[in-house]
Amino acid sequence: MAFTRKDFLQKTALASLTGLTFSSSGSTSDLAAVVPTQTKIKPKALKRGDTLGLIAPASPIYEDRVFGEMLVNLKDLGFKLKLGKHVRKRNGYLAGTDTERVEDMMNMFNDPEVDGIMCIRGGWGCNRILPLIDYSVIRNNPKVFSGFSDITSLHMAFYKKSDLYTFHGPVGKSTWNNFTTNAFKAVTWNGDTISYDIPEEYDDSFIITPGTAEGNLLGGNLSVLVSMIGSDYLPSFENAILFLEDIGESVYRIDRMLTQLKLTGILDQLSGFVFGKCTDCSAGDNSLTLQQVMDDHIKPLNIPAFYGAMISHEDNNITLPFGMNAQLDAAKKIISLTESAVS
């Protein structure tokens, strides 16, 4: 079954949607806007008619039907599509060999016809290719790069090694509903400054520690992040706002991974903390709840923190410019971008 999407709503209509608040001033709260880091690179904004390069740097899309629906959805968003040479390859649970997956990525960054790059899905495999990437190519050919889950590895490495702002946002096979589509286009097409709150119908949030914070947005999938500890591909977390999400992990495993972040000193460096959704993260036979685990690890940090932002493996997701400055109001459970993420 093919899915179609309506044309993107105009910005004036978007402004009325719950969960997205626009600011034309470049500042989204009473806190002073921070001058962007000059050494980092903003990619060029996307627009209707641009060519989107599709790559599979981790796992493949196994079902032909799902792959076909993805192509229809992305074309309906207004993109022309260019597929990586190996995007449909399979090598066990990987989308081709490590070399083939890197080849597709480098070709997309080098290709002058490609305006932006989107990973078709996550899964596993991005950590394996980090040493094979030519980061100078990425630095010299900055483009909008989007994905989440296992793509966390690439966001970290590109920010650290290539000085590129990327986008923790949809993958090709994401559910392109109005919420996800509007958030993605507002940030990567329009370059809007946005305040993200939590729509009431999706609100399972709780405040860990109230207060306001400011810092660079770093994070992604918790399991992937901890798998990178000790490598040379993690950026500094000094005064960062750490955002996390995960899926299918028992509460005790979330406890274990947050403990690892604490023992390595990462949590102690932060200015703020947000956990999005922990989808299908059951307590099982354990007595601790997810909220108790968050309170045990995050509350003692005495930094603004909350749980429940629209960052997840679920259908409705915000798009966050990885590495860019943002402001956090934990009491109101709002994340605010302070500047345009695209040039």
Side-chain angles (χ1 to χ4, degrees):
M1 177 181 178
F3 293 89
T4 60
R5 297 255 65 92
K6 293 183 179 180
D7 289 341
F8 179 55
L9 298 175
Q10 296 298 319
K11 179 177 175 180
T12 53
L14 282 176
S16 66
L17 291 177
T18 302
L20 303 179
T21 304
F22 294 85
S23 171
S24 60
S25 65
S27 178
T28 52
S29 76
D30 292 333
L31 295 173
V34 172
V35 176
T37 306
Q38 296 301 312
T39 58
K40 300 301 179 182
I41 303 168
K42 292 183 180 181
K44 184 180 178 181
L46 295 174
K47 64 182 183 302
R48 178 172 292 277
D50 276 353
T51 296
L52 191 65
L54 299 181
I55 61 173
S59 296
I61 292 179
Y62 298 99
E63 307 90 348
D64 290 341
R65 175 188 59 81
V66 175
F67 194 89
E69 289 173 356
M70 174 190 70
L71 299 182
V72 171
N73 291 338
L74 294 176
K75 288 178 181 177
D76 285 348
L77 293 179
F79 290 117
K80 300 174 185 175
L81 303 178
K82 190 163 190 174
L83 303 184
K85 177 181 177 182
H86 307 291
V87 74
R88 300 248 40 203
K89 285 281 188 74
R90 292 215 15 212
N91 179 28
Y93 49 78
L94 300 170
T97 67
D98 294 347
T99 301
E100 287 171 337
R101 301 196 315 279
V102 171
E103 179 186 346
D104 276 359
M105 181 189 301
M106 293 294 94
N107 286 344
M108 291 300 180
F109 274 104
N110 272 317
D111 191 338
E113 294 181 354
V114 172
D115 302 293
I117 302 169
M118 183 170 286
C119 304
I120 63 170
R121 63 159 297 177
W124 165 248
C126 290
N127 273 6
R128 293 171 54 124
I129 66 175
L130 296 180
L132 306 178
I133 296 171
D134 187 337
Y135 294 97
S136 64
V137 168
I138 297 170
R139 183 184 299 109
N140 294 327
N141 298 277
K143 298 176 183 183
V144 166
F145 181 89
S146 178
F148 73 102
S149 191
D150 197 59
I151 313 306
T152 296
S153 300
L154 300 179
H155 291 310
M156 294 284 181
F158 290 0
Y159 183 72
K160 171 71 177 295
K161 301 287 189 178
S162 301
D163 300 315
L164 178 65
Y165 292 125
T166 56
F167 296 88
H168 185 276
V171 292
K173 70 184 291 287
S174 287
T175 301
W176 288 95
N177 54 34
N178 283 338
F179 186 96
T180 297
T181 301
N182 293 342
F184 177 72
K185 285 193 169 183
V187 175
T188 64
W189 291 41
N190 298 340
D192 291 318
T193 53
I194 298 176
S195 290
Y196 289 118
D197 60 12
I198 305 171
E200 184 177 354
E201 60 267 36
Y202 307 118
D203 193 351
D204 60 353
S205 64
F206 54 83
I207 299 169
I208 302 170
T209 307
T212 59
E214 186 167 349
N216 293 341
L217 289 166
L218 299 176
N221 184 265
L222 174 58
S223 303
V224 175
L225 171 57
V226 298
S227 74
M228 299 179 71
I229 290 175
S231 75
D232 189 40
Y233 300 99
L234 283 182
S236 169
F237 288 86
E238 187 70 30
N239 295 320
I241 295 174
L242 178 64
F243 66 92
L244 298 172
E245 61 83 30
D246 221 316
I247 182 171
E249 297 288 354
S250 299
V251 172
Y252 89 87
R253 291 177 179 170
I254 300 299
D255 186 0
R256 183 179 64 199
M257 289 185 281
L258 289 177
T259 299
Q260 188 173 0
L261 293 181
K262 173 65 175 178
L263 293 177
T264 59
I266 289 176
L267 293 185
D268 294 322
Q269 300 177 48
L270 305 177
S271 66
F273 176 90
V274 178
F275 204 113
K277 310 288 185 183
C278 200
T279 306
D280 299 328
C281 294
S282 63
D285 295 330
N286 301 293
S287 58
L288 284 180
T289 67
L290 192 60
Q291 183 165 0
Q292 287 174 307
V293 169
M294 296 291 167
D295 286 345
D296 286 347
H297 291 287
I298 307 304
K299 190 179 288 291
L301 302 175
N302 197 29
I303 58 173
F306 74 94
Y307 173 94
M310 304 298 287
I311 310 166
S312 72
H313 273 70
E314 299 173 19
D315 289 345
N316 299 281
N317 282 288
I318 60 178
T319 293
L320 295 177
F322 190 96
M324 291 199 67
N325 184 267
Q327 296 166 352
L328 173 69
D329 189 325
K332 296 180 180 178
K333 292 170 282 192
I334 292 175
I335 304 169
S336 299
L337 308 184
T338 61
E339 59 178 297
S340 174
V342 289
S343 61

